[in-house]
Structures are given as C-alpha cells and as structure tokens.
C-alpha cells in the first residue's frame, strides 16, 4: 500500500476497530459464562475489565516497543497475539484460563493504540493527516458495535464460543493486511525519544493540574460510556423480555451514533463556542437522556431513540474533551499527556464494569441515574476548572 493512501488509512483503522471490539464482545455472553462457569455478575464484570490492566501498565512501555521495532511490525505482532488469545478463549475450561486470555488481549490492544496512530501520523501530512486522525477517532464506537454484534450472534446457546472464532478470524484478516502496510523507520513514527525522556515527560504531565483535571474528566466520560455499554444489552433483554441478540444488536446500532456526535462537536467548537460552555450543555442533555435510557416503563422504539441520543451526546462530549488536550498540553509534553489520558481511560475500563453489571442484576434504575449525575457533574467541573487555569495567565498579562 502507498503511504498515506486511503487503503493504508483504512487498513490501520481496521486494527483499531478489531482492538476495540475485544472490549465489548464479552458483554452479550454474560448469561453463557454464568451457565457454564457459574460466574456471578461481579465476577463477569471483573473479567470484562481485566483487559484494561495491561493498558494501564504498558502505556509507556508500548511506546518504547514501537520505537524499537516500528509500528508495522508491532501491529502484525498484535494481530498474532489477538488470534492466540481468542484461541485460548475457544478451549478455556475455567475462569482463570479466560482471565489469562483477557490479559493477553489487553496486551495486544494497548500496543495497537500506540502503533496505529503513530503509523498514521508518520505516513500522512497536512489536511490528509487531519482527516486520517478524524477517521481514527471513530475506531471505538465502530469496534464496540462489531464486538456487541459478534457476541450477540452466538449468545444464549451452545455455540457461544464461536464468538471467539469470529474474533480470531477478524484478527487474522487484519494481520494479513498488516503485511501490505508501508514500512517506515521507528524514529519517523515516534521521534526516537529515549526511555529517560519519556519517563521525565510522564512525570511532568502528572504534575500539571490542567492535565490531571482533563484526565479526571476523561475518566468520568469513559466510566459512564463503558458502564452504560456493559449494562444495556442484559438490562434491555430483561426488561423487554427480548433475546440477547436483539438487545445487543440494538445497542450496537445505537453506539454508531457517537460518530455524528463527534463531528457535530467539532463543527460547534470550530464556530468559536467555548469548550466548557458546550460541555455544560452536553452534560445536562446527557444526564437526562442517560437516566431515561434506564427508565423501565418505555416502549422499545422510544427507548432506542433515547439511547441513540445518549450516544450522540457521549460522542460529542468525548470529542470536546479530546479537543481540549492540545490546549492544556505543551508541545514538548503532548506524548506524555496522551499517555496520561490513555491511562485514565484504562483505569475507568478496569473499575467500572463490575459496578455497573452488579447494579444491572437488580431491579432498580435510580442507582444508574445517581452514577450519571456524579459523572457529568465532576467532568463538567473539570472543564470549568481548566478554563480558569487557562484564563489566569491571560489576566496576569493584561494586568502587567
């Protein structure tokens, strides 16, 4: 493939979508794992969240791996690891073996999330790079939809392990495409920063209050988004007495609404609306739509419309937070700042599934509303605090 061509961009995007689908593919299989392995809702939640452990631990080392071997080689190796982990899933006879496969998958996707954008940025420039990164930013909702669809197709039956066969096939196809990707030097992808410089940059990022606030806001958004995604299929299947496949397919389709939500946020921010003002409006709408998504006495068609609205708002809110990152991160610290944001997302992925899935096992919907109120309030406060930090130097300059 020619560097910077659309074939190359879409092949790289497929790696991201394959990685994101590993997070959600287990969600429709909760009933099967309970039936076969006796997994409680809390145990199932921890299994889902285990994939975030390698992401939290390996965010910085993954950059060093890409430095040494180059992004193309790393992406191909991740595809092989994805095939291996899903093969283990297929033959697992106990929860510990499933947990091992989950950890291996986590190691694969954290390297994908480092190598893929590095390869995109190294092979594109100008407007093409901006477009490529915009396309890359949609890998999460697309991958989530793929994972929910794969899991939902085989849930609630003896063929539930076929989910992992399908995922392994996806990784195999992606890995084969990896051999066609352009080869670039490792330094061209990451700048060749030595380990000491990377660790110093990370320490400086952790000492910057605006970055910490942005990371906390991102943590809250991922917490609510992943929590809702993990909960919706089983919750909707129960309250509407519908098959898990139907519920998962409904959520998968609604998840794609995050894509136009992200684009709408970009247009609004480009018009000059301040980030914190836009986010405040999104928070109000997000709390209302998120709470209504869990309200039990709704017709299925109305619920689908409300859930689509929730995902549009979620996509716009995450895009707003990511658009704030270049504002609070100095050029020399942007790599470390991105690592900090990624680690906060990984922590949210680890912490939240057990909480939300345990609540979903009950009959009350109000606890979900409480979690949403907390998440949106804290995230909004973070955006306003960041704005105050940004305004302080300007006020000092005007005074002097």
């Amino acid at each position: 493939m020619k560097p910077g061509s659309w074939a190359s961009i879409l092949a790289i995007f497929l790696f991201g979508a394959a990685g994101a689908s590993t997070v959600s593919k287990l969600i429709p299989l909760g009933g099967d794992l309970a039936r076969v392995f006796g997994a409680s809702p809390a145990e199932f939640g921890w299994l889902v969240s285990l994939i975030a452990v390698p992401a939290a631990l390996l965010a910085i080392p993954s950059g060093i791996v890409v430095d040494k071997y180059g992004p193309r080689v790393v992406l191909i190796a991740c595809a092989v690891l994805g095939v291996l982990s899903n093969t283990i899933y297929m033959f697992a006879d106990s929860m510990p073996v499933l947990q091992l496969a989950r950890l291996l998958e986590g190691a694969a996707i954290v390297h994908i999330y480092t190598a893929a954008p590095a390869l995109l940025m190294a092979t594109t420039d100008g407007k093409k790079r901006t477009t490529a990164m915009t396309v890359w930013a949609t890998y999460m909702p697309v991958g989530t939809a793929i994972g929910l669809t794969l899991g939902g197709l085989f849930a609630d039956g003896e063929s539930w392990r076929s989910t992992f066969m399908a995922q392994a096939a996806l990784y195999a196809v992606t890995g084969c495409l990896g051999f066609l990707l352009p080869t670039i030097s490792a330094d061209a992808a990451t700048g060749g920063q030595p380990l000491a410089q990377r660790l110093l940059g990370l320490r400086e990022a952790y000492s910057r209050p605006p970055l910490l606030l942005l990371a906390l806001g991102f943590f809250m958004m991922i917490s609510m988004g992943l929590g809702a995604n993990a909960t919706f299929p089983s919750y909707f299947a129960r309250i509407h007495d519908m098959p898990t496949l139907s519920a998962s397919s409904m959520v998968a389709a609604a998840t794609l609404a995050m894509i136009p939500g992200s684009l709408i946020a970009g247009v609004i921010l480009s018009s000059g609306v301040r980030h914190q003002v836009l986010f405040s409006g999104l928070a109000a709408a997000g709390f209302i739509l998120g709470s209504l998504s869990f309200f039990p006495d709704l017709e299925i068609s109305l619920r689908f419309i409300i859930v689509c609205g929730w995902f549009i708002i979620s996509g716009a809110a995450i895009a707003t937070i990511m658009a704030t990152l270049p504002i609070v991160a100095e050029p020399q610290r942007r790599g470390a700042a991105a690592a900090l944001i990624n680690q906060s997302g990984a922590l949210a992925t680890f912490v939240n599934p057990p909480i939300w899935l345990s609540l979903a096992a009950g009959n009350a919907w109000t606890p979900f509303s409480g979690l949403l109120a907390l998440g949106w309030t804290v995230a909004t406060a973070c955006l306003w605090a960041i704005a105050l930090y940004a305004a302080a130097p300007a006020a000092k300059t005007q005074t002097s």
Side-chain angles (χ1 to χ4, degrees):
M1 298 178 186
K2 183 180 178 180
S5 66
W6 275 110
S8 174
I9 291 170
L10 293 177
I12 296 169
F13 171 82
L14 185 59
F15 276 93
S21 67
T22 66
V23 178
S24 59
K25 72 180 177 194
L26 284 187
I27 293 171
L29 303 180
D32 298 288
L33 295 180
R35 171 174 51 84
V36 176
F37 300 109
S40 67
E43 290 172 330
F44 175 62
W46 284 118
L47 177 64
V48 173
S49 66
L50 270 178
I51 201 166
V53 174
L57 297 176
L58 301 177
I60 296 301
S62 69
I64 300 170
V65 171
V66 173
D67 269 343
K68 183 173 179 61
Y69 298 104
R72 176 176 173 270
V73 171
V74 171
L75 288 174
I76 294 171
C78 289
V80 173
L81 189 56
V83 172
L84 174 62
S85 60
N86 280 276
T87 302
I88 295 174
Y89 276 125
M90 282 189 280
F91 297 100
D93 57 1
S94 66
M95 285 295 289
V97 178
L98 289 175
Q99 291 166 351
L100 172 63
R102 197 68 171 160
L103 290 172
L104 288 176
E105 273 192 314
I109 65 172
V110 67
H111 292 302
I112 288 175
Y113 295 162
T114 299
L119 186 55
L120 279 176
M121 288 186 287
T123 55
T124 56
D125 54 23
K127 291 183 179 180
K128 191 68 169 287
R129 176 181 291 176
T130 301
T131 304
M133 296 308 294
T134 302
V135 171
W136 169 254
T138 64
Y139 75 86
M140 183 58 74
V142 173
T144 298
I146 292 173
L148 289 173
T149 301
L150 289 180
L153 282 174
F154 304 106
D156 299 333
E158 295 303 318
S159 62
W160 63 275
R161 291 181 189 267
S162 297
T163 299
F164 310 121
M165 186 182 301
Q167 179 84 53
L170 177 60
Y171 268 121
V173 171
T174 304
C176 290
L177 288 175
F179 286 99
L180 303 177
L181 290 174
T183 301
I184 61 172
S185 67
D187 285 354
T190 60
Q193 288 183 322
L195 175 60
Q197 187 174 346
R198 287 181 178 275
L199 295 177
L200 178 60
L202 184 63
R203 182 185 66 80
E204 292 176 343
Y206 273 94
S207 68
R208 294 273 294 141
L211 279 175
L212 292 175
L213 287 167
L214 193 65
L216 177 58
F218 188 70
F219 172 87
M220 289 299 175
M221 287 309 308
I222 298 301
S223 294
M224 292 185 290
L226 179 65
N229 254 331
T231 306
F232 281 158
S234 59
Y235 185 79
F236 294 165
R238 186 175 77 247
I239 64 176
H240 289 292
D241 192 23
M242 61 194 299
T244 302
L245 171 58
S246 299
S248 298
S249 299
M250 183 180 81
V251 177
T255 301
L256 296 176
M258 291 181 71
I259 299 173
S262 299
L263 299 176
I264 291 170
V267 172
I268 294 174
L269 291 173
S270 298
S271 69
V273 175
R274 290 181 294 172
H275 294 65
Q276 70 272 21
V277 173
L278 173 59
F279 196 89
S280 298
L282 293 172
F287 169 71
I288 294 171
L289 291 172
S291 297
L292 287 175
S293 296
F294 289 101
F295 189 72
D297 299 324
L298 292 176
E299 293 292 331
I300 186 66
S301 56
L302 178 59
R303 188 180 305 280
F304 178 72
I305 294 172
I306 290 172
V307 171
C308 284
W310 156 259
F311 280 116
I312 289 173
I313 296 298
S314 297
I318 292 175
T320 302
I321 286 182
M322 296 309 296
T324 308
L325 181 58
I327 297 175
V328 300
E330 299 91 336
Q332 69 273 19
R333 295 195 184 114
R334 283 178 182 164
L340 175 59
I341 296 298
N342 288 335
Q343 285 180 326
S344 70
L347 181 60
T349 303
F350 178 71
V351 169
N352 281 276
I355 298 173
W356 289 72
L357 288 170
S358 295
L359 290 176
N363 295 317
W365 68 278
T366 50
F368 296 114
S369 184
L371 286 175
L372 292 169
L374 175 64
W376 283 111
T377 300
V378 173
T380 303
C382 288
L383 267 291
W384 279 99
I386 290 170
L388 291 175
Y389 269 104
K396 290 181 180 179
T397 301
Q398 290 177 354
T399 303
S400 60

